[in-house]
Amino acid sequence: MTTSKPKVLATRHFPPDVEKRLAANFDALLNPQDRLYDGPALAKAAAGYAGIMCAAGDPLSAATIEALPDSVKMIATFSVGYEHVDVAAAAKRGIKVSNTPDVLTDATADIALLCLLGAARRAHEGTTMLRTHNWVGWEPTQLMGTHVTGKRLGILGMGRIGQAVADRARAFRMTIHYNNRSRLPADLEKGATFHANPDDMLPHCDFLSINAPLTPQTRKWVNAERIAKMPKGAVVVNTARGGVVDDEALIAALKSGRLAAAGIDVFDGEPKIHQGYYDLQNAFLLPHMGSATVETRNAMGFKALDNLEAFLLNGKTPPDLVKAS
Ligand code: 8YV
C-alpha cells in the first residue's frame, strides 16, 4: 500500500540540498526557473496543496490568503521576517504560519558590520576609484572616512540579530545604546544603555543600526525629524527592512552631509529601489545579502522544512509557529 505524501508548493527556487529534502519528504512542486508568483497566480497554483514554502517578498497578503484553496493548511516562510504574510488573515482561515528564527542571526549581523564599516570607511568610493582606473596613488587626505572604534552605536530592535550586532560592535570598543520593546536582562544587555523611548536614543547615535522588524509602528521610522535628532555626521545602517526608512529623508540627509554615510542591505520596494540611492557616493549598498551564505541558506531551508514536516507529516505544532500580534 502506498500512502501519498502531502503536497507542498515551493514559491521560489531554494538551495539544492533544501529542495532535495523537500522533494524526498513531500509531493513537491518546485520552481527551478525561480519565476515570481503574483497573488492571484499563487492562489491558483496552490490548488490541492497542503503547504506553501515561500520567501520574503512573496505576496501573501490578506487578499491572497483569502483566495487560497481550502487545501492549504500551512505557510512556511524561508525567512525570519514575515511582514509579507498576513498572519491574522491566515489565522482566520486556520492556516499555520512558521518562520526561520536564529539560524540567520550571525550571517545578518556580519552583514550589518560590513555595512557599518563599508559606509564609515567609504568602501564604495574606494573600490570605484580603483576599478575605474582613477586611483592616482596614496594621498595623505584621500578617502578619509568616519572613525568607528570607540564611537556610540544605537541599535533599534535588540532581538537576536540586534544583540549579535552589539557583540560584534563591542570588539570595536563601541558603546552600545538600544531600544527594544522591553529591556533586556543584565546578562544579555551586557552594559548597553536602554532607551525606553527610541527617540531619546537618537542624540547618542554616532551610528544607528536598524534591526527591528517592519510593522505599522516602524514603517518610515527613520524620517527627517528623527535624523535631525542624530549627531551631525552620523552613519545609518539598515539590514532589517527597507520600509523602516523614509527614503526621501535619508537620501536628502546623505546629499546634504547631515549624515556622513549609510550602509544599506534592504530597500523599500526592492528590487525597484529609490533612484536617488544610485547617485550617492556615500551610500554603501548591497542587494539584500544578509543571510546569503551557503550554510545559512541551507539552515533556513531546513528550518522551514522542520516546521512543514512537524505539522504536515507528524501532526505536531510547528516549532517556529508565528502568531498574529
Ligand atoms: C532572507 C531576510 O534571505 O530572513 C529574512 O527575513 O531578510 C533575508 O535575509 C530573505 O528574506 C529570504 O526570504
Side-chain angles (χ1 to χ4, degrees):
M1 195 187 78
T2 52
T3 25
S4 58
K5 295 173 184 170
K7 295 178 79 169
V8 172
L9 167 74
T11 64
R12 304 298 305 265
H13 175 37
F14 295 108
D17 288 347
V18 173
E19 290 197 342
K20 210 188 275 172
R21 179 168 142 192
L22 177 60
N25 294 346
F26 295 100
D27 178 357
L29 178 65
L30 304 179
N31 182 0
Q33 309 294 330
D34 205 27
R35 292 216 178 86
L36 297 180
Y37 285 95
D38 64 17
L42 182 54
K44 201 168 157 210
Y49 285 84
I52 297 177
M53 182 158 156
C54 68
D58 280 334
L60 284 147
S61 60
T64 306
I65 288 175
E66 277 155 26
L68 286 176
D70 288 341
S71 59
V72 176
K73 305 291 177 219
M74 177 164 176
I75 298 167
T77 185
F78 177 90
S79 59
V80 66
Y82 51 88
E83 72 295 326
H84 55 293
V85 184
D86 193 315
V87 180
K92 244 192 234 164
R93 295 212 48 200
I95 298 172
K96 304 268 188 262
V97 178
S98 68
N99 70 339
T100 64
D102 300 315
V103 291
L104 45 68
T105 299
D106 287 321
T108 307
D110 290 348
I111 285 283
L113 265 292
L114 177 63
C115 286
L116 188 152
L117 291 166
R121 298 304 299 274
R122 302 176 63 176
H124 167 67
E125 290 165 275
T127 55
T128 304
M129 180 188 278
L130 189 84
R131 287 177 180 277
T132 55
H133 301 268
N134 282 311
W135 187 34
V136 293
W138 184 90
E139 292 172 350
T141 59
Q142 192 176 67
L143 291 175
M144 295 190 294
T146 303
H147 200 65
V148 170
T149 303
K151 294 277 176 68
R152 298 167 297 176
L153 169 65
I155 299 179
L156 182 75
M158 197 67 149
R160 291 171 290 257
I161 298 173
Q163 290 171 45
V165 169
D167 284 342
R168 284 154 176 73
R170 286 185 184 101
F172 291 83
R173 299 202 298 278
M174 298 185 91
T175 307
I176 312 298
H177 292 252
Y178 75 99
N179 164 261
N180 199 42
R181 266 175 306 191
S182 49
R183 186 171 176 174
L184 298 180
D187 60 325
L188 297 181
E189 194 172 69
K190 299 177 188 170
T193 305
F194 174 63
H195 299 267
N197 179 346
D199 285 66
D200 295 342
M201 178 174 79
L202 292 169
H204 306 278
C205 292
D206 300 317
F207 290 80
L208 170 68
S209 176
I210 299 162
N211 298 105
L214 179 61
T215 64
Q217 292 72 39
T218 61
R219 177 161 286 285
K220 291 191 192 293
W221 189 83
V222 178
N223 57 18
E225 195 190 321
R226 294 201 169 95
I227 289 170
K229 291 182 180 170
M230 296 175 67
K232 188 173 179 317
V235 173
V236 170
V237 174
N238 189 4
T239 55
R241 284 293 181 265
V244 180
V245 168
D246 176 345
D247 286 331
E248 294 283 344
L250 180 61
I251 289 165
L254 289 167
K255 262 190 193 159
S256 71
R258 180 69 185 69
L259 291 175
I264 310 173
D265 184 49
V266 287
F267 299 86
D268 201 15
E270 60 188 48
K272 289 187 184 124
I273 75 171
H274 192 298
Q275 290 293 308
Y277 284 116
Y278 290 106
D279 300 327
L280 289 171
Q281 296 308 305
N282 53 350
F284 178 75
L285 309 176
L286 294 175
H288 200 148
M289 289 168 60
S291 65
T293 68
V294 174
E295 294 87 340
T296 300
R297 289 282 164 86
N298 277 338
M300 289 163 70
F302 296 149
K303 196 154 237 240
L305 288 172
D306 289 345
N307 281 277
L308 284 166
E309 289 162 10
F311 186 61
L312 296 180
L313 298 182
N314 303 323
K316 297 211 169 102
T317 302
D320 303 296
L321 189 68
V322 162
K323 294 208 182 80
S325 46

